[in-house]
């Protein structure tokens, strides 16, 4: 499956069935043509060896004729088969989660309330319920970040963690549960923050997740120079490049960044932006067409912290 990050509150979706080659080409085309905060695209196989379904989510009503003209560049006259639907704001995430199985990522497993009993004693369960915010763990971006977090925890126990663009809070919760330390987490969308706060309560870590509403690190809780020894930013390539100086400024000298929301072709540009601020690639995870990156100032895996 190839999946992007949905707008915080999508209002419409376009769907069309096609083959894998066209679905991948359309995913790249739409991803390049539209603002990722307003439009997102997902493509997945409907069943083994079957057609692929392309879904494009919009934060505002789309120009249907323009969209058909755009996708006709890849699939020709089949573009007329595209179906546009308005979304019920209360139900779209719930519908997208129905039937999804628990998602393991190393020692972590993301699940809904109905699968609470499926979490094994040696796993760290992260319970996420349907709500009007994105970030359920059922895609390569979040899973890649969780796997990198597992790698980091084998070497050190971060003391100060920041999650920029937290969505429903999956990464913040994973870090809080694994370290039993307070995690600072923020999002530009107040709905996402409200959802994350409720999910933190459901996970029994309400006192360990310190939430804020603001873009990037533009909040007193996050704007702390060289303070955080682990910084998550699971967003998209364009905002990641823009945030490079800010994230570099708040990451501790021996700190680690985990960045995701990147297609493979986004990685060189993002690495270049962070290289300008002294960071280099230490590790990488690729899942479902998406890349998650671990960056440090040395470009090496982080060493254990003193006393851990």
């Amino acid at each position: 499956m190839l999946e992007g990050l949905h707008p915080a509150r999508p209002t419409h979706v376009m769907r069309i069935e096609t083959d894998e080659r066209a679905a991948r080409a359309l995913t790249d085309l739409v991803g390049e043509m539209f603002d990722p905060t307003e439009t997102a695209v997902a493509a997945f196989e409907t069943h083994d060896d079957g057609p692929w379904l392309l879904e494009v989510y919009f934060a505002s009503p789309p120009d249907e004729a323009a969209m058909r003209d755009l996708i006709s560049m890849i699939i020709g006259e089949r573009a007329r088969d595209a179906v546009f639907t308005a979304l019920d704001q209360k139900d779209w995430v719930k519908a997208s989660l129905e039937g999804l199985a628990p998602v393991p990522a190393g020692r972590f497993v993301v699940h809904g309330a109905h699968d609470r009993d499926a979490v094994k004693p040696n796993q760290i369960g992260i319970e996420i319920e349907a709500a009007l915010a994105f970030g359920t763990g059922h895609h390569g971006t979040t899973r890649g970040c969780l796997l990198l977090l597992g790698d980091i925890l084998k070497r050190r126990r971060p003391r100060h963690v920041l999650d920029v663009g937290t969505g429903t809070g999956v990464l913040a919760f994973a870090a809080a549960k694994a370290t039993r330390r307070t995690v600072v987490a923020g999002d530009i969308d107040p709905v996402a923050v409200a959802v994350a706060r409720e999910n933190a309560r459901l996970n029994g870590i309400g006192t360990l997740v310190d939430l804020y509403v603001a873009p990037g690190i533009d909040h007193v809780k996050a704007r702390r120079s060289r303070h955080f020894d682990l910084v998550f930013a699971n967003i998209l390539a364009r905002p990641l490049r823009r945030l490079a100086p800010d994230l570099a400024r708040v990451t501790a000298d021996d700190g680690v960044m985990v960045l995701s929301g990147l297609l493979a072709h986004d990685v060189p540009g993002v690495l270049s932006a962070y290289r300008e601020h002294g960071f280099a690639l230490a590790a990488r995870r690729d899942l479902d067409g998406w890349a998650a990156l671990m960056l440090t100032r040395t470009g090496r895996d982080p060493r254990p912290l003193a006393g851990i």
Side-chain angles (χ1 to χ4, degrees):
M1 182 174 73
L2 300 174
E3 185 172 356
L5 306 182
H6 296 94
R9 289 184 290 277
T11 64
H12 292 72
V13 62
M14 182 196 82
R15 294 185 174 95
I16 187 168
E17 282 194 349
T18 185
D19 57 71
E20 179 181 358
R21 182 201 62 81
R24 291 181 180 275
L26 287 168
T27 298
D28 289 342
L29 177 64
V30 173
E32 290 293 332
M33 292 294 294
F34 291 94
D35 183 342
T37 65
E38 297 293 324
T39 306
V41 60
F44 51 91
E45 194 174 23
T46 56
H47 56 269
D48 290 345
D49 298 322
W52 280 55
L53 178 64
L54 180 87
E55 297 181 331
V56 182
Y57 291 87
F58 304 90
S60 56
D63 183 331
E64 296 184 14
M67 282 300 302
R68 291 185 199 278
D69 287 343
L70 178 65
I71 65 175
S72 70
M73 296 170 58
I74 304 294
I75 59 174
E77 293 184 0
R78 285 180 293 156
R80 63 183 177 220
D81 296 330
V83 176
F84 293 82
T85 307
L87 295 171
D88 184 330
Q89 284 292 290
K90 292 184 292 186
D91 294 338
W92 79 272
V93 176
K94 182 177 180 179
S96 73
L97 290 178
E98 287 177 353
L100 288 178
V103 176
R107 63 190 293 196
F108 302 102
V109 58
V110 183
H111 63 92
H114 57 288
D115 284 312
R116 193 177 297 158
D117 294 338
V119 180
K120 299 176 182 177
N122 64 338
Q123 292 177 316
I124 296 177
I126 304 165
E127 185 172 318
I128 300 294
E129 286 307 293
L132 291 176
F134 182 81
T136 62
H138 293 84
H139 56 92
T141 56
T142 305
R143 287 174 52 225
C145 290
L146 289 172
L147 289 169
L148 286 177
L149 173 59
D151 294 339
I152 292 166
L153 290 170
K154 293 173 184 177
R155 298 171 172 84
R156 62 192 287 168
R157 184 183 176 200
R159 295 185 176 94
H160 305 291
V161 180
L162 173 65
D163 182 15
V164 177
T166 193
T168 52
V170 171
L171 299 178
F173 301 165
K177 285 193 169 191
T179 66
R180 303 312 300 178
R181 296 183 184 274
T182 299
V183 174
V184 175
D187 201 286
I188 194 172
D189 181 17
V191 174
V193 172
V195 169
R197 182 171 288 109
E198 176 60 19
N199 280 327
R201 186 191 65 80
L202 288 174
N203 281 270
I205 51 173
T207 60
L208 291 179
V209 181
D210 192 4
L211 291 156
Y212 68 87
V213 178
I217 65 163
D218 192 18
H219 194 280
V220 65
K221 294 179 180 180
R223 200 168 49 245
R224 305 179 68 181
S225 180
R226 303 287 176 122
H227 177 72
F228 297 98
D229 50 3
L230 175 57
V231 175
F232 291 111
N234 181 19
I235 40 181
L236 290 168
R238 191 182 306 171
L240 279 177
R241 291 195 299 269
R242 187 174 64 248
L243 282 169
D246 290 341
L247 298 186
R249 187 166 59 252
V250 301
T251 302
D253 290 338
D254 62 347
V256 184
M257 291 185 199
V258 174
L259 311 180
S260 194
L262 305 171
L263 293 168
H265 64 73
D266 295 323
V267 171
V270 169
L271 288 178
S272 177
Y274 284 81
R275 194 176 298 117
E276 291 182 11
H277 299 278
F279 282 81
L281 182 66
R284 173 174 172 169
R285 292 275 190 164
D286 289 89
L287 293 170
D288 301 333
W290 294 87
L293 313 177
M294 181 199 300
L295 306 185
T296 67
R297 284 191 165 87
T298 63
R300 296 192 297 270
D301 283 351
R303 292 175 295 174
L305 289 172
I308 298 301

